[in-house]
Amino acid sequence: MNTSSISATAQPAAESGWLHKPLGMLPGLLLAGAIAALGLWAARFPSVAAHGLSALTLAIVIGLVIGNTVYPAMAARCGSGVGFAKARLLRAGIILYGLRLTFQDIGQVGMAGVLIDALVLSSTFLLAQWIGQKLLGMDRRTTLLIGAGSSICGAAAVLATEPVAKGRAEDVAVAVATVVVFGTIGTFLYPALFHWNAEHGWFDIGLQQYGLYVGSTVHEVAQVVAAGEAVGSQAADVAVISKMVRVMMLAPFLLVLSMWLARSERGQGGEGGAGGSRITIPWFALGFVLMAGIHSLGVLPDGLVAAGVELDNVLLTLAMAALGLTTHIGAVRAAGTRPLLLASLLFVWLLVAGWALNLWIPALF
């Protein structure tokens, strides 16, 4: 009698425990989902897209507003779901990001385009570390994230680098903010410079060369599209392909960064304990390359690829919404002007050195 009584009460308790975790995440996921939906909806307006503002950018801005007003009162109920969106859904989104490009894209920009992208990425990231840590005295986490965002693909690169760099929410928010500010400036400045040059005839630059320049130096994919379309559809096509090749470099970049950080920690006596010197393998980055490889084979139906890209937009926007919710303006403000100064110097580097590389490298082929 006692046994059956215990058994009868234990089963509902077990089922309740099994359901407790997903049900506990539901409020936070619903809140992040509502913010993401608003960001995705607003990003569809032509006036918003023309300014290079993606759903990712809008979601973090909306999340920041809510996160610094009403969210603290809801954090106890929503925290687990928001944390799940910021971590697990982010990694799933990075993997699906591979559906946006194929290895065949590399052939369309040629070896010159690949070399330009690689040099822009490596030089910008290394310059970020030297200026940020040596000259400005910034902490390593912030310089890693700002360097990744400026050198690869904006907010998506910041989010992908965060688990490897062990960045805090405020570090990520600062890095994303710099991408928004200077990427938006670039959206207007690049077309203006193209038309200004056309009027004065200083450089003989065509639509394809302009597209390579934009794709290899502008921060966000949405900003690349906007800066390319402002000059012409041919320039936009080349810019997007160049940008996608740059995006493809995200996975090897994360692997090299992980090994570099592990070696650096060993050289400093393994800060953080014995586990601090272990290489953190960003498995989601390998998943990103695998997904791009599968897409390259052409075995996936177009409808499935389109659905995957849409799902990816949703997942990454959810992650950005969650990031905004958990970022306190006070912590971002405490970062001071140094991150903005670093990002501005990197922007000038991309503008000037990126142009020099786009003039010099094609002449070698």
Side-chain angles (χ1 to χ4, degrees), residues 188-281:
F188 297 100
L189 182 58
Y190 277 69
L193 290 175
F194 176 84
H195 293 300
W196 194 22
N197 176 71
E199 289 178 10
H200 294 84
W202 291 322
F203 298 100
D204 182 18
I205 177 172
L207 294 179
Q208 179 162 349
Q209 192 171 12
Y210 170 79
L212 280 173
Y213 177 43
V214 169
S216 62
T217 57
V218 174
H219 298 62
E220 287 268 9
V221 175
Q223 294 159 352
V224 166
V225 174
E229 287 287 355
V231 169
S233 58
Q234 182 184 346
D237 291 344
V238 176
V240 170
I241 292 171
S242 175
K243 181 65 174 177
M244 288 298 99
V245 172
R246 198 165 145 211
V247 169
M248 188 177 282
M249 295 175 180
L250 176 61
F253 163 81
L254 291 175
L255 289 170
V256 172
L257 177 62
S258 182
M259 291 186 286
W260 177 56
L261 291 177
R263 182 178 179 181
S264 174
E265 289 184 3
R266 283 197 298 271
Q268 296 171 10
E271 66 179 71
S277 63
R278 290 181 301 188
I279 295 175
T280 302
I281 299 176

Side-chain angles (χ1 to χ4, degrees), residues 12-348:
E15 290 176 355
S16 175
W18 180 78
L19 289 172
H20 178 71
K21 190 170 183 179
L23 287 176
M25 291 192 298
L26 190 58
L29 288 174
L30 288 174
L31 176 60
I35 295 171
L38 184 57
L40 289 164
W41 172 75
R44 296 181 184 274
F45 284 93
S47 58
V48 174
H51 289 80
L53 296 174
S54 66
L56 300 182
T57 301
L58 296 170
I60 193 173
V61 170
I62 299 168
L64 278 167
V65 173
I66 297 175
N68 286 273
T69 52
V70 299
Y71 179 69
M74 308 160 59
R77 290 192 61 196
C78 299
S80 61
V82 170
F84 180 82
K86 193 171 67 172
R88 300 301 180 94
L89 296 187
L90 163 64
R91 288 161 175 76
I94 296 299
I95 291 172
L96 284 178
Y97 207 83
L99 287 175
R100 299 171 188 264
L101 67 159
T102 66
F103 295 149
Q104 287 85 348
D105 292 335
I106 298 176
Q108 297 189 49
V109 299
M111 282 304 300
V114 174
L115 185 56
I116 290 169
D117 280 340
L119 289 174
V120 167
L121 190 161
S122 56
S123 63
T124 304
F125 183 77
L126 292 174
L127 188 64
Q129 307 319 302
W130 182 70
I131 293 176
Q133 296 178 43
K134 300 295 184 183
L135 300 185
L136 300 179
M138 296 170 59
D139 68 271
R140 186 168 68 175
R141 288 186 301 255
T142 305
T143 60
L144 289 173
L145 295 175
I146 291 177
S150 297
S151 61
I152 309 175
C153 54
V158 174
L159 288 170
T161 306
E162 180 269 331
V164 178
K166 300 181 178 69
R168 301 164 300 184
E170 53 267 31
D171 300 325
V172 177
V174 166
V176 170
T178 63
V179 167
V180 173
V181 171
F182 292 101
T184 302
I185 292 173
T187 301
F188 297 100
L189 182 58
Y190 277 69
L193 290 175
F194 176 84
H195 293 300
W196 194 22
N197 176 71
E199 289 178 10
H200 294 84
W202 291 322
F203 298 100
D204 182 18
I205 177 172
L207 294 179
Q208 179 162 349
Q209 192 171 12
Y210 170 79
L212 280 173
Y213 177 43
V214 169
S216 62
T217 57
V218 174
H219 298 62
E220 287 268 9
V221 175
Q223 294 159 352
V224 166
V225 174
E229 287 287 355
V231 169
S233 58
Q234 182 184 346
D237 291 344
V238 176
V240 170
I241 292 171
S242 175
K243 181 65 174 177
M244 288 298 99
V245 172
R246 198 165 145 211
V247 169
M248 188 177 282
M249 295 175 180
L250 176 61
F253 163 81
L254 291 175
L255 289 170
V256 172
L257 177 62
S258 182
M259 291 186 286
W260 177 56
L261 291 177
R263 182 178 179 181
S264 174
E265 289 184 3
R266 283 197 298 271
Q268 296 171 10
E271 66 179 71
S277 63
R278 290 181 301 188
I279 295 175
T280 302
I281 299 176
W283 296 107
F284 60 91
L286 299 180
F288 165 84
V289 173
L290 178 62
M291 189 63 68
I294 294 172
H295 187 208
S296 301
L297 296 176
V299 296
L300 299 177
D302 291 342
L304 182 61
V305 172
V309 170
E310 287 298 318
L311 176 60
D312 181 49
N313 284 332
V314 172
L315 292 175
L316 290 178
T317 309
L318 274 165
M320 292 299 278
L323 173 64
L325 287 170
T326 54
T327 301
H328 299 292
I329 291 296
V332 176
R333 195 164 48 238
T337 58
R338 289 179 297 175
L340 201 61
L341 177 58
L342 172 60
S344 66
L345 293 173
L346 294 179
F347 178 69
V348 172

